Amino acid sequence: MIQPGLAVIVLSFFVLPEGVGQTVTTSLPVSINTSRYYLFYLHGGIVQEQGVNAVSEEFGPYEYLTILDSLKNLGYNIIGEVRPRGTDVEEYGKYIARQIDTLLRRGLPPEHIIVVGASLGAYITIETSHILKNESVRYVVMGLCNEYNMKYYAKYKDDLCGNFLSIYEATDQKLSCDELLEDLRCKSGYREVRLTMGNGHGFLYKPYGEWLVPLDMWIKGKTR
């Protein structure tokens, strides 16, 4: 098990000229701009195993830093960490929930908090939802749901809580999360986006517009 928080990278972005207002720190920001959005990005398992320069034989490099930068450039304050190998999913979910609780206590509206999880990061996203139980916090799960996972999380279904967006690729082995998330009792919303890029689980490896655009529009309450 790791000690969460030892290597948190926080990239703060404000609508200012390029190069202004961006910071890197090892903790949550001291001051919170309650008009801004704060987005936790939880990467896939290959980064946890191989580190920031992870490469898949099937899908190529996992462009972790480029993904963070692309999310930042959409106008979000990004909180991201390369999790060490052996990270415990449940414990890390508790850690993210504690950080969100800190933001809430500092006056940030729950609607301005987004947790985006890719593959293994999506497992942690679900754990965070289960622990925090705030129906207005936003959760994005990408590449999460297959038969095994939905059966596993069925025991949590009555405790999952939040505003959910599911994104999956039609050629991936992990597909729709409707069975898990559509009928939750404690939710303020649910939407699912089906991609047809043809690259399977590899859609998570780069900041493709196919998932970035609907994610951004969903957070900002826009429709295509």
Side-chain angles (χ1 to χ4, degrees), residues 95-141:
Y95 167 60
I96 297 297
R98 288 195 299 270
Q99 290 190 85
I100 293 173
D101 186 60
T102 297
L103 291 175
L104 293 170
R105 286 188 282 106
R106 292 183 184 179
L108 188 68
E111 298 83 1
H112 286 206
I113 301 172
I114 309 102
V115 183
V116 177
S119 195
L120 183 59
Y123 285 72
I124 298 170
T125 300
I126 292 294
E127 292 290 343
T128 303
S129 161
H130 163 244
I131 294 162
L132 197 63
K133 294 182 174 61
N134 186 312
E135 68 177 16
S136 297
V137 173
R138 300 169 183 262
Y139 299 98
V140 182
V141 293

Side-chain angles (χ1 to χ4, degrees), residues 164-190:
F164 293 92
L165 172 66
S166 166
I167 302 176
Y168 73 95
E169 162 39 53
T171 58
D172 195 1
Q173 294 182 350
K174 296 180 178 180
L175 300 169
S176 173
C177 287
D178 279 353
E179 184 179 331
L180 176 65
L181 299 175
E182 192 170 30
D183 298 323
L184 297 180
R185 293 185 298 183
C186 182
K187 75 176 191 299
S188 58
Y190 170 65

Side-chain angles (χ1 to χ4, degrees), residues 17 44 54 71 77-78 83 94 96 105-106 184 191 194 210 221:
L71 290 166
N77 302 320
I78 307 303
R83 302 183 305 273
K94 294 176 184 177
I96 297 297
R105 286 188 282 106
R106 292 183 184 179
L184 297 180
R191 185 189 173 204
R194 177 180 183 269
E210 282 85 349

